[in-house]
Amino acid sequence: MVKKTTHLGTAPWTDTGIAVKEGQEFYFEAEGTVSLQKGQPRRLVRAEGLSLRTMQQPMSDQNVGCLIGRVLERTEVVEDKDRGEKTVREFGPMFAIGKEARLAMPASGRLLIGVNENLTKDNDGAFIVSIYRKT
């Protein structure tokens, strides 16, 4: 095993601390539950998510609330000089993980994991993810 990482349901992404290279093969196993709306038992999901797909999620072709991954290739800070606000934009391919997955990394960069949902502030719970690298 390379690492066991906990992803809190309230966080958009969790940095696993793992640098990956394009083509490297990894195996993921996830356990735990995340509530997609704190206090709503019918919104409790495992890593496969709910059998529901919407255009508002990071990966619209995957179940809402499922465990997803991303290879962070680069970040960019954009400043709105009129408002004095800075926005951080992250770039890199995303991929579905679910309860378990074996896949080759689509790019080189930092490995992140997250929940396939844009609004995470009202979530609760966590996924515990074991990550293995093929040697």
Side-chain angles (χ1 to χ4, degrees), residues 58-79:
M59 295 188 72
S60 60
D61 63 336
Q62 298 297 320
N63 289 348
V64 170
C66 75
L67 180 66
I68 59 175
R70 181 179 206 170
V71 177
L72 182 62
E73 294 179 294
R74 67 184 174 90
T75 58
E76 182 180 283
V77 178
V78 178
E79 185 176 356

Side-chain angles (χ1 to χ4, degrees), residues 26-29 95 97 99-101 103 105 111 129-131:
F26 284 83
Y27 175 70
F28 300 84
E29 273 184 321
F95 49 90
I97 297 173
K99 182 180 178 183
E100 63 181 332
L103 46 93
M105 291 295 101
L111 178 62
V129 185
S130 296
I131 305 167

Side-chain angles (χ1 to χ4, degrees), residues 24-49:
Q24 269 185 324
E25 291 184 43
F26 284 83
Y27 175 70
F28 300 84
E29 273 184 321
E31 56 187 70
T33 56
V34 168
S35 172
L36 300 180
Q37 190 173 10
K38 194 174 187 174
Q40 296 293 325
R42 293 188 326 184
R43 295 300 222 175
L44 196 63
V45 298
R46 296 195 183 282
E48 318 67 64

Side-chain angles (χ1 to χ4, degrees), residues 13 52-64 66-69 93-97 115-118:
W13 294 103
L52 173 67
R53 297 176 182 191
T54 71
M55 296 302 293
Q56 291 82 27
Q57 307 316 312
M59 295 188 72
S60 60
D61 63 336
Q62 298 297 320
N63 289 348
V64 170
C66 75
L67 180 66
I68 59 175
M94 291 184 280
F95 49 90
I97 297 173
V115 174
N116 192 32
E117 184 182 35
N118 280 331

